[in-house]
Amino acid sequence: MSSADQATTGAALALQRVGAAPRRAGAGFGALGLASLVAILPLWLLWPDPQPRRTAILVALGCALVCAGGIALFQRAAGGQRPYAAISVAEFSGATGGPDAAEPDGPPRVLPSRRAAQTRCLAWYLGVCTMLVTLFALVIGAPQRPEQMQRIADAGAEFAAVPIEKVGDVELHDPSKGHDYYTSTAVVRLAPKAGGRPVTATVHPVTPDRPRTGGEVSVLYAPTRPGLGALAGDERSLGDALEGATMRTGPAWIVGLVWAAGIVLSVVGLFQRHGFRSFSRLGRADMAVRGKYLGPDFWRRGDSKQPCLKIVTESARTAHFLSTVMADHVPDSVTGQYLWLCWDARQGAEGGRFSGGATPAALVSDDGWVMHGMLKADDAQMMAAEGVAVGKAAAGNGEPRALRLWDPYSAWLLYVPPAVPLLAAVLIGCAALLTFDIPGGWRWVTGITGAVVGLALGHLAINAPYPSIVRATLSSKGTDPA
């Protein structure tokens, strides 16, 4: 550890653990922001009325903007950004034991739950995939009907097959895939609904057969006001737009399926990082072993590398406890402490199970702090020979000890860079702009800008807790800030 890191650690030791207010505020802002973000895509795809739809989306984006502003204001009121290392080290303070504390008879049966970390992890993955899919949907969708279609719809639009009086500019198209089709410019005769003289209109039909004078073509027009003109097409090509949909049924299904795939991948990412079990109540299938903490390291196999904590047992077996903890995140006084390593022996230890090669685990120190993580399947199998069932190891325990969860990530409101709320505001502005009818080229420019800003925001949030020397490694492994 460098002298600067030691100074940071020493200063952090004098700090108190972060209280409940920043953690609750972070959970509140995160929940409101995610709910606002998730609501936008269904509104965009399913609400057919353009004006109320835009209003609802802007309200959702406004809620997200309030969250971004609240994060900035809360951090400033708390004294500005704090180093993550200081918050992490302070999580070990307030020990219930000490150098002369008696060794516990065994591991506790009840632990602080990891459910909050799992929720943050899932919310992070869902937020990233939803942001990207929503931006893409906003770009390719149409926020409102074309001006002429809107006027025709307001006057009572109908589809009808009308006669062609004149046709020109006929062109045959021969695509590499699909059927040939013709484009042309045709003058058609529109019949008024309540008698009167027919009105002509110029349309640009796309037909499978060559259009001819005297033939018919399907158009959309208003029989009560044929002077508004007509649009070439039938219910299949114009029906979705007439009903107010932002995109046709096919692209809408593609967007929905991509979003669903992102949700599935988010759940898989949660399982790989934290597992599904909260690991708050240890049962007969769980095992524990007494060990000594040696410090942060990296678990390596081939080209794979993951941050971990090294634990050595009395029989000199070394376990790699997978957790994103670096050297400057732990006070020097913790090195050499004895603790209990507990793990779920049902998962990870059997090659036939879908376990991702790891199983939920927890470290329980004699000082009372509990750190959740994962244990590699190989280590779990190796430790099984020395470990004992938690039910047996905890049989002699008296009154349950007061335990506290090591969870500096819940105080993310204090350590995220000040640029994060600013980037979030720019991203929200790009999304709001896309709800209006801007030209296609500018829509793509706005969407790409939003995507770049969103990825930059995610990069800052991911790397905020970690030293610069390992940022590239952690980012390449998809590590999230939960």
Side-chain angles (χ1 to χ4, degrees):
M1 186 182 296
S2 67
S3 58
D5 292 337
Q6 291 176 345
T8 301
T9 301
L13 285 171
L15 297 175
Q16 296 293 324
R17 297 181 70 229
V18 173
R23 302 176 196 267
R24 291 174 181 171
F29 285 135
L32 179 58
L34 180 63
S36 303
L37 180 61
V38 170
I40 295 173
L41 190 58
L43 290 172
W44 183 252
L45 295 179
L46 303 178
W47 198 334
D49 200 337
Q51 293 302 326
R53 177 180 62 220
R54 176 185 294 127
T55 301
I57 292 176
L58 291 178
V59 169
L61 291 173
C63 291
L65 187 61
V66 168
C67 291
I71 292 171
L73 292 176
F74 193 99
Q75 190 177 91
R76 178 174 295 183
Q81 180 190 11
R82 299 186 192 177
Y84 172 81
I87 296 175
S88 175
V89 170
E91 287 287 287
F92 293 93
S93 63
T96 58
D100 300 327
E103 176 184 326
D105 294 333
R109 297 294 296 268
V110 179
L111 301 178
S113 174
R114 71 171 73 198
R115 194 64 78 195
Q118 292 171 320
T119 302
R120 285 195 305 272
C121 177
L122 183 61
W124 173 254
Y125 290 142
L126 286 177
V128 171
C129 82
T130 301
M131 175 199 71
L132 295 176
V133 174
T134 299
L135 279 174
F136 178 72
L138 289 172
V139 169
I140 66 174
Q144 62 191 44
R145 302 183 185 98
E147 184 178 354
Q148 185 180 12
M149 179 181 287
Q150 184 64 54
R151 291 198 301 265
I152 294 174
D154 292 340
E158 292 183 9
F159 290 100
V162 297
I164 301 175
E165 292 194 344
K166 184 179 179 182
V167 64
D169 300 330
V170 179
E171 185 176 353
L172 173 64
H173 297 267
D174 183 12
S176 58
K177 294 182 180 180
H179 300 286
D180 299 348
Y181 63 94
Y182 291 88
T183 59
S184 60
T185 301
V187 178
V188 298
R189 185 169 67 251
L190 307 178
K193 189 170 186 178
R197 300 179 58 183
V199 177
T200 59
T202 301
V203 296
H204 303 278
V206 178
T207 57
D209 301 318
R210 184 181 182 90
R212 301 180 185 277
T213 301
E216 290 186 338
V217 65
S218 178
V219 298
L220 175 71
Y221 80 109
T224 57
R225 295 185 61 187
L228 294 175
L231 295 171
D234 53 17
E235 292 188 26
R236 181 179 179 182
S237 59
L238 298 179
D240 291 332
L242 181 62
E243 292 176 0
T246 55
M247 61 185 71
R248 298 178 64 179
T249 302
W253 271 103
I254 293 174
V255 170
L257 290 174
V258 171
W259 190 30
I263 294 174
V264 172
L265 291 176
S266 298
V267 175
V268 172
L270 166 66
F271 179 78
Q272 293 290 337
R273 181 158 175 77
H274 294 288
F276 292 143
R277 185 180 170 188
S278 65
F279 212 57
S280 57
R281 184 174 294 276
L282 304 184
R284 290 179 296 178
D286 301 316
M287 301 193 71
V289 68
R290 188 75 172 165
K292 182 169 68 173
Y293 169 76
L294 295 184
D297 199 353
F298 283 93
W299 176 87
R300 295 174 176 86
R301 175 168 293 176
D303 295 334
S304 179
K305 183 170 71 169
Q306 291 180 260
C308 70
L309 301 180
K310 291 180 67 175
I311 311 297
V312 63
T313 67
E314 294 177 355
S315 61
R317 291 186 175 93
T318 301
H320 300 86
F321 182 82
L322 303 181
S323 182
T324 312
V325 183
M326 302 300 150
D328 58 341
H329 298 170
V330 187
D332 293 336
S333 58
V334 175
T335 302
Q337 283 190 2
Y338 283 89
L339 39 74
W340 286 98
L341 170 61
C342 310
W343 72 92
D344 185 343
R346 295 174 301 177
Q347 300 183 32
E350 299 183 19
R353 290 181 179 271
F354 175 68
S355 61
T359 186
L363 297 179
V364 183
S365 80
D366 295 348
D367 286 343
W369 55 263
V370 176
M371 182 185 298
H372 283 290
M374 303 287 282
L375 187 66
K376 279 295 180 181
D378 294 344
D379 286 356
Q381 292 175 342
M382 174 188 67
M383 307 295 287
E386 184 177 0
V388 294
V390 170
K392 295 180 179 179
N397 282 0
E399 292 296 323
R401 289 189 292 150
L403 301 175
R404 61 189 185 281
L405 181 64
W406 182 89
D407 190 18
Y409 299 108
S410 62
W412 62 269
L413 207 65
L414 299 179
Y415 67 75
V416 293
V420 166
L422 178 61
L423 291 175
V426 175
L427 176 60
I428 293 168
C430 291
L433 188 60
L434 290 171
T435 63
F436 293 90
D437 190 18
I438 58 178
W442 285 108
R443 294 191 71 80
W444 281 103
V445 170
T446 304
I448 293 173
T449 300
V452 171
V453 170
L455 293 175
L457 187 154
H459 179 75
L460 281 178
I462 286 174
N463 288 297
Y466 309 120
S468 59
I469 58 173
V470 296
R471 287 180 178 176
T473 301
L474 296 178
S475 297
S476 66
K477 301 300 179 187
T479 305
D480 63 272

